[in-house]
Amino acid sequence: MAIGMSAMLQASGLTKEFKGFVAVNNVDLTVERGTIHALIGPNGAGKTTCFNLLTKFLQPTRGTITYDGRDITSLSAADIARLGLVRSFQISAVFDDLTVLENVRIAMQRRRGDSYDFWRSEVLLAQYDDEARGYVESVGLGDFLNHRAAELSYGRKRALEIATTLALEPDMLLLDEPMAGMAQADVDRISALIKRISEGRTILMVEHNLSVVANLSDRITVLARGEVLAEGDYDTVSKSPEVIDAYIGAGHD
Amino acid sequence: MSTTENTTKAALPAMTHTVGMPRHQKIIFVVLLAVLIALPFMVYPVFAMKVLCFALFACAFNLLLGFGGLLSFGHAAYFGMASYVCAHAAKVWGLTPELAILTGTATAAVLGLVIGSLAIRRQGIYFAMVTLAFAQMVYFFALQAEFTGGEDGIQSVPRNDLFGLLPMKDDLTFYFFVLAITYGGILFIYRITHSPFGQVLKSIRENEPRAVSLGYHVNRYKLMVFVLSATFAGLAGATKSQVFHLASLTDVHWTMSGEVVLMTLLGGMGTVLGPIVGAAIVVTMQNYLAYLGAWVTVIQGCIFVIGVLLFREGIIGVLSRILKKPL
C-alpha cells in the first residue's frame, strides 16, 4: 500500500448496546482514501450493526465517527448521504414501481434540488434522461431503461442499485453484502463492477464470505462477537490463527 | 407518413411515460368534464354537488394513502373543521363564497401542519392511531366550542354573492362554481402526483430506507404531502358547507374518516379515477337507499366486504390491470 494515504472514514471506540447486549464493542476502524476495505466476520459478528452505525441508521451508544476529517457522529442518515457517503442494502434496494430510468433520476433529482416542486410537471424530469441513461448503460442495463424495476432479475436489481448510487457521484460507498443471494455468474459481474467503480472512490463493503473479498479488497477487518479480531491484507488475515478459529473453523472455507 | 411514425416509435420504445399525461387519460379527463357539465340537468343539482365534494375529498385522501403510503384515520378533522370555519365565515363575518371557502381551506392546512408534524414521527398502525386520536380531539372541540353550535351545528349558512357580484342562491348556478373548484382540485392533485415531488413521494412509498440513503429527508416530504392532502380535504369540506347551507358534527365525526377510506379502497387506491368512482358509488347509495334507514350502513358494509374480497385493487384498479393502462 502506498505511503501517505489519509483516512477517509474513521471510527474510534464505536460501541452499540441493545438493552444490555453489546452488539458492537469498542471498534476502531480506519478506511484509507481510495481503497477497497472489507468488513467480514461470521454470522452475528456485528457487521451489519457496525455498518448501520457508520451510516447513522443506528445511533452509537459511545464512540465517534469522522468522515473526510469531519465529525459526523451526530448527523442524520440523510445528511451523511448528502456529504457523499452513500450506502447500499443487503436486500437489493430499488424502487420497484418505478422504471429503471426513474430509479436513477430519483438520485439525480436530490442532487439538483427540484424535489419539492409539487406544482410543476414531471415532464421537467426529462432533462435528466441523457445523464441518467449514461449511468444505466455503465452498469449494463441499457436495454432495460423503461422496464419497471420489479421486473428485473436479482443480479440486475443489484446493478440498478449501483447505478442509482453512482448517480449521486459519491466519494465513498458502503456496500452491505453486495453478493448476498447471488448466482456465481452474477457474483463475477458485480465484482468486476465494484472494481471498476472503485476508481477514484473509497469503498467499504461488508461480506460474509472471505473468498469473495480475497481478490477485491486492499484491506480486511475481521469482526467476531462485536470486536475487531484481526486486520490486514488477505494473506495476513487468512493466516491468523484467531480468524481460522473463530471464522473458518465455524464451517466456512 | 405512417412509416416515419413507426420508426420513431421503434427508436424510442417506451419514452411515452415521460411526456406528460398519457393520451387516454387526457380523453378520460375531457369525457369526465363533459359528463359533469351535463350532470345537473339529469339529476338533482345538490346531489351532484355532493358527489363532487366527496370525489374531491376522496382524491385528497388518496393523495396521502395511494401516493404517500400513509393511512390517516382522521381525515374528517380537516374536512369538518374547514366546513365549520367556512360556514362561520359566511354566516357571521358575511364573507363571499370564494373567501369563506378559502378561509376554511386555510384552517384545514394549518390543522394538517400541526397534526401532521406530530403524526409523521410514527409509522403504520401507530401513524393511523395518532391521526385518529387528534381527529377525536377535533371532534370534541367541535362539540364543545361556542361557534360550532354543538349538536345543532351551524345552520342556514347563507350563500353570498360570488365575488360580491354574482348571485349564487340558485343551485344550478352554484353547481358550476362547485364544479370549477372540485375539478380544478382534482386536476391539481393529479399534477402533484405527477410532479418531481410526486416522484420522490413514490420512491419513499416504495422503499423508505433507500430514499434516506440517497439523502432525502423523508419526513419533510411526508409532512408536505400530509398538509397538501389535509388542504384539499378542507377545500372539499368547506365547499360542502356552502352547498348544504350547513356545517354539522357529521362532517367531523370519525365515521366520516372511515367513509373516505371506504370510497378510496372501493374505487381503487393509488389510481386517478378510483376515488372519484368510489365516492360516486357511496354517495349514490346513501342517497337512493336513504329510505332503508340504518340498513344503508349494513348494505354499505356488505358492498365494502365483497369489494375488498373480490377485487382488492378496487374497481378502477382491476379495470386498469385488465386494460393494462394507468387509469
Short mmCIF file of all heavy atoms in Angstrom, two decimals, chain A residues 39-73:
data_model
loop_
_atom_site.label_atom_id
_atom_site.label_comp_id
_atom_site.label_asym_id
_atom_site.label_seq_id
_atom_site.Cartn_x
_atom_site.Cartn_y
_atom_site.Cartn_z
N LEU A 39 -15.21 -5.60 5.45
CA LEU A 39 -15.51 -5.89 6.84
C LEU A 39 -16.17 -7.27 6.83
O LEU A 39 -17.26 -7.42 6.28
CB LEU A 39 -16.47 -4.83 7.37
CG LEU A 39 -16.76 -4.75 8.86
CD1 LEU A 39 -15.50 -4.43 9.63
CD2 LEU A 39 -17.81 -3.67 9.12
N ILE A 40 -15.48 -8.25 7.38
CA ILE A 40 -16.05 -9.60 7.31
C ILE A 40 -16.18 -10.19 8.71
O ILE A 40 -15.70 -9.63 9.69
CB ILE A 40 -15.23 -10.54 6.41
CG1 ILE A 40 -13.84 -10.76 7.02
CG2 ILE A 40 -15.10 -10.00 5.01
CD1 ILE A 40 -13.13 -11.94 6.43
N GLY A 41 -16.81 -11.32 8.75
CA GLY A 41 -16.98 -11.99 10.04
C GLY A 41 -18.13 -12.96 9.95
O GLY A 41 -18.97 -12.85 9.06
N PRO A 42 -18.16 -13.92 10.88
CA PRO A 42 -19.24 -14.90 10.86
C PRO A 42 -20.57 -14.27 11.22
O PRO A 42 -20.64 -13.11 11.64
CB PRO A 42 -18.82 -15.93 11.92
CG PRO A 42 -17.88 -15.21 12.81
CD PRO A 42 -17.21 -14.16 11.98
N ASN A 43 -21.63 -15.05 11.08
CA ASN A 43 -22.97 -14.56 11.44
C ASN A 43 -22.99 -14.05 12.87
O ASN A 43 -22.41 -14.65 13.76
CB ASN A 43 -23.99 -15.70 11.34
CG ASN A 43 -24.52 -15.83 9.94
OD1 ASN A 43 -24.60 -14.84 9.21
ND2 ASN A 43 -24.89 -17.04 9.55
N GLY A 44 -23.67 -12.94 13.07
CA GLY A 44 -23.81 -12.41 14.43
C GLY A 44 -22.55 -11.72 14.94
O GLY A 44 -22.44 -11.45 16.13
N ALA A 45 -21.61 -11.42 14.05
CA ALA A 45 -20.37 -10.79 14.48
C ALA A 45 -20.54 -9.30 14.71
O ALA A 45 -19.68 -8.64 15.26
CB ALA A 45 -19.28 -11.05 13.46
N GLY A 46 -21.66 -8.75 14.27
CA GLY A 46 -21.90 -7.32 14.43
C GLY A 46 -21.56 -6.50 13.20
O GLY A 46 -21.49 -5.28 13.26
N LYS A 47 -21.39 -7.18 12.06
CA LYS A 47 -21.04 -6.47 10.83
C LYS A 47 -22.12 -5.47 10.43
O LYS A 47 -21.85 -4.30 10.19
CB LYS A 47 -20.88 -7.45 9.66
CG LYS A 47 -19.83 -8.50 9.82
CD LYS A 47 -19.75 -9.37 8.58
CE LYS A 47 -21.06 -10.07 8.21
NZ LYS A 47 -21.33 -11.31 8.90
N THR A 48 -23.34 -5.98 10.38
CA THR A 48 -24.43 -5.12 9.91
C THR A 48 -24.72 -4.00 10.90
O THR A 48 -24.97 -2.86 10.50
CB THR A 48 -25.69 -5.96 9.63
OG1 THR A 48 -25.38 -6.88 8.59
CG2 THR A 48 -26.85 -5.11 9.20
N THR A 49 -24.64 -4.31 12.20
CA THR A 49 -24.82 -3.27 13.21
C THR A 49 -23.76 -2.19 13.02
O THR A 49 -24.05 -1.00 13.02
CB THR A 49 -24.72 -3.86 14.62
OG1 THR A 49 -25.60 -4.96 14.71
CG2 THR A 49 -25.07 -2.83 15.67
N CYS A 50 -22.53 -2.64 12.85
CA CYS A 50 -21.41 -1.73 12.67
C CYS A 50 -21.67 -0.83 11.45
O CYS A 50 -21.46 0.38 11.49
CB CYS A 50 -20.15 -2.57 12.44
SG CYS A 50 -18.66 -1.66 12.67
N PHE A 51 -22.15 -1.47 10.40
CA PHE A 51 -22.44 -0.78 9.16
C PHE A 51 -23.55 0.26 9.35
O PHE A 51 -23.44 1.39 8.88
CB PHE A 51 -22.92 -1.85 8.17
CG PHE A 51 -22.78 -1.46 6.75
CD1 PHE A 51 -21.54 -1.50 6.14
CD2 PHE A 51 -23.88 -1.04 6.04
CE1 PHE A 51 -21.42 -1.14 4.83
CE2 PHE A 51 -23.76 -0.68 4.72
CZ PHE A 51 -22.53 -0.73 4.11
N ASN A 52 -24.58 -0.14 10.08
CA ASN A 52 -25.68 0.80 10.35
C ASN A 52 -25.23 1.95 11.23
O ASN A 52 -25.76 3.06 11.12
CB ASN A 52 -26.85 0.06 11.00
CG ASN A 52 -27.64 -0.76 10.00
OD1 ASN A 52 -27.63 -0.45 8.80
ND2 ASN A 52 -28.29 -1.79 10.46
N LEU A 53 -24.26 1.70 12.09
CA LEU A 53 -23.73 2.78 12.92
C LEU A 53 -22.96 3.77 12.06
O LEU A 53 -23.12 4.99 12.19
CB LEU A 53 -22.80 2.21 14.00
CG LEU A 53 -23.45 1.40 15.12
CD1 LEU A 53 -22.38 0.78 16.00
CD2 LEU A 53 -24.36 2.29 15.96
N LEU A 54 -22.14 3.23 11.17
CA LEU A 54 -21.31 4.11 10.33
C LEU A 54 -22.16 4.98 9.41
O LEU A 54 -21.78 6.10 9.08
CB LEU A 54 -20.34 3.27 9.48
CG LEU A 54 -19.23 2.55 10.27
CD1 LEU A 54 -18.47 1.61 9.34
CD2 LEU A 54 -18.28 3.56 10.90
N THR A 55 -23.32 4.44 8.98
CA THR A 55 -24.18 5.20 8.07
C THR A 55 -25.28 5.93 8.83
O THR A 55 -26.17 6.51 8.23
CB THR A 55 -24.83 4.27 7.04
OG1 THR A 55 -25.38 3.15 7.73
CG2 THR A 55 -23.82 3.80 6.05
N LYS A 56 -25.22 5.86 10.16
CA LYS A 56 -26.15 6.56 11.04
C LYS A 56 -27.60 6.09 10.94
O LYS A 56 -28.51 6.79 11.33
CB LYS A 56 -26.06 8.08 10.85
CG LYS A 56 -24.71 8.70 11.15
CD LYS A 56 -24.08 8.20 12.45
CE LYS A 56 -24.90 8.43 13.68
NZ LYS A 56 -25.10 9.80 14.03
N PHE A 57 -27.78 4.86 10.42
CA PHE A 57 -29.12 4.28 10.51
C PHE A 57 -29.37 3.80 11.94
O PHE A 57 -30.49 3.54 12.33
CB PHE A 57 -29.29 3.15 9.49
CG PHE A 57 -29.72 3.63 8.14
CD1 PHE A 57 -28.85 4.35 7.33
CD2 PHE A 57 -31.01 3.42 7.68
CE1 PHE A 57 -29.25 4.82 6.09
CE2 PHE A 57 -31.42 3.89 6.45
CZ PHE A 57 -30.54 4.61 5.66
N LEU A 58 -28.27 3.70 12.70
CA LEU A 58 -28.35 3.47 14.14
C LEU A 58 -27.48 4.52 14.82
O LEU A 58 -26.48 4.97 14.27
CB LEU A 58 -27.82 2.08 14.51
CG LEU A 58 -28.70 0.86 14.29
CD1 LEU A 58 -27.91 -0.40 14.62
CD2 LEU A 58 -29.94 0.94 15.15
N GLN A 59 -27.88 4.88 16.03
CA GLN A 59 -27.11 5.87 16.78
C GLN A 59 -26.17 5.10 17.72
O GLN A 59 -26.61 4.26 18.49
CB GLN A 59 -28.10 6.74 17.58
CG GLN A 59 -27.49 7.93 18.26
CD GLN A 59 -26.84 8.92 17.30
OE1 GLN A 59 -27.29 9.09 16.17
NE2 GLN A 59 -25.75 9.54 17.72
N PRO A 60 -24.85 5.36 17.66
CA PRO A 60 -23.94 4.63 18.55
C PRO A 60 -24.15 5.00 20.02
O PRO A 60 -24.51 6.14 20.34
CB PRO A 60 -22.54 5.05 18.08
CG PRO A 60 -22.73 6.30 17.30
CD PRO A 60 -24.13 6.27 16.77
N THR A 61 -23.94 4.03 20.91
CA THR A 61 -24.01 4.31 22.34
C THR A 61 -22.80 5.14 22.76
O THR A 61 -22.92 6.09 23.52
CB THR A 61 -24.03 2.98 23.13
OG1 THR A 61 -24.97 2.10 22.52
CG2 THR A 61 -24.44 3.21 24.57
N ARG A 62 -21.64 4.76 22.25
CA ARG A 62 -20.41 5.51 22.52
C ARG A 62 -19.56 5.52 21.27
O ARG A 62 -19.74 4.71 20.38
CB ARG A 62 -19.61 4.84 23.65
CG ARG A 62 -20.04 5.23 25.06
CD ARG A 62 -19.10 4.63 26.11
NE ARG A 62 -19.06 3.17 26.06
CZ ARG A 62 -20.01 2.38 26.56
NH1 ARG A 62 -21.08 2.92 27.13
NH2 ARG A 62 -19.91 1.07 26.49
N GLY A 63 -18.57 6.41 21.25
CA GLY A 63 -17.62 6.43 20.15
C GLY A 63 -17.87 7.56 19.17
O GLY A 63 -18.92 8.21 19.22
N THR A 64 -16.89 7.80 18.32
CA THR A 64 -17.03 8.89 17.35
C THR A 64 -16.76 8.36 15.94
O THR A 64 -16.03 7.38 15.76
CB THR A 64 -16.04 10.04 17.62
OG1 THR A 64 -14.72 9.49 17.68
CG2 THR A 64 -16.34 10.74 18.93
N ILE A 65 -17.33 9.03 14.98
CA ILE A 65 -17.11 8.69 13.58
C ILE A 65 -16.70 9.97 12.86
O ILE A 65 -17.37 10.99 12.98
CB ILE A 65 -18.40 8.15 12.92
CG1 ILE A 65 -18.99 7.00 13.74
CG2 ILE A 65 -18.13 7.71 11.50
CD1 ILE A 65 -20.44 6.71 13.43
N THR A 66 -15.60 9.91 12.15
CA THR A 66 -15.25 11.07 11.33
C THR A 66 -15.18 10.65 9.87
O THR A 66 -14.76 9.54 9.54
CB THR A 66 -13.88 11.68 11.72
OG1 THR A 66 -12.92 10.63 11.74
CG2 THR A 66 -13.93 12.36 13.07
N TYR A 67 -15.68 11.52 9.03
CA TYR A 67 -15.66 11.26 7.59
C TYR A 67 -14.98 12.43 6.91
O TYR A 67 -15.39 13.58 7.09
CB TYR A 67 -17.10 11.10 7.08
CG TYR A 67 -17.23 11.10 5.58
CD1 TYR A 67 -16.76 10.02 4.84
CD2 TYR A 67 -17.80 12.17 4.91
CE1 TYR A 67 -16.87 10.01 3.47
CE2 TYR A 67 -17.92 12.17 3.53
CZ TYR A 67 -17.44 11.09 2.82
OH TYR A 67 -17.55 11.08 1.45
N ASP A 68 -13.91 12.14 6.20
CA ASP A 68 -13.20 13.17 5.47
C ASP A 68 -12.80 14.33 6.41
O ASP A 68 -12.94 15.50 6.05
CB ASP A 68 -14.06 13.69 4.32
CG ASP A 68 -13.19 14.23 3.18
OD1 ASP A 68 -11.96 14.07 3.24
OD2 ASP A 68 -13.78 14.80 2.23
N GLY A 69 -12.36 13.97 7.61
CA GLY A 69 -11.90 14.97 8.57
C GLY A 69 -13.00 15.68 9.34
O GLY A 69 -12.74 16.61 10.10
N ARG A 70 -14.24 15.23 9.15
CA ARG A 70 -15.35 15.92 9.78
C ARG A 70 -16.08 14.98 10.72
O ARG A 70 -16.34 13.83 10.35
CB ARG A 70 -16.28 16.37 8.65
CG ARG A 70 -17.44 17.14 9.11
CD ARG A 70 -18.19 17.67 7.91
NE ARG A 70 -19.47 18.21 8.38
CZ ARG A 70 -20.30 18.86 7.63
NH1 ARG A 70 -20.04 19.06 6.36
NH2 ARG A 70 -21.43 19.33 8.14
N ASP A 71 -16.41 15.46 11.90
CA ASP A 71 -17.12 14.62 12.87
C ASP A 71 -18.58 14.47 12.43
O ASP A 71 -19.33 15.44 12.37
CB ASP A 71 -17.04 15.25 14.26
CG ASP A 71 -17.59 14.32 15.34
OD1 ASP A 71 -18.34 13.38 14.99
OD2 ASP A 71 -17.28 14.53 16.52
N ILE A 72 -18.98 13.24 12.12
CA ILE A 72 -20.35 13.03 11.65
C ILE A 72 -21.19 12.25 12.66
O ILE A 72 -22.29 11.82 12.36
CB ILE A 72 -20.37 12.28 10.29
CG1 ILE A 72 -19.66 10.92 10.41
CG2 ILE A 72 -19.74 13.12 9.20
CD1 ILE A 72 -19.94 10.01 9.24
N THR A 73 -20.67 12.11 13.88
CA THR A 73 -21.35 11.27 14.87
C THR A 73 -22.79 11.70 15.13
O THR A 73 -23.66 10.87 15.37
CB THR A 73 -20.56 11.28 16.20
OG1 THR A 73 -19.17 11.18 15.91
CG2 THR A 73 -20.96 10.13 17.09
#
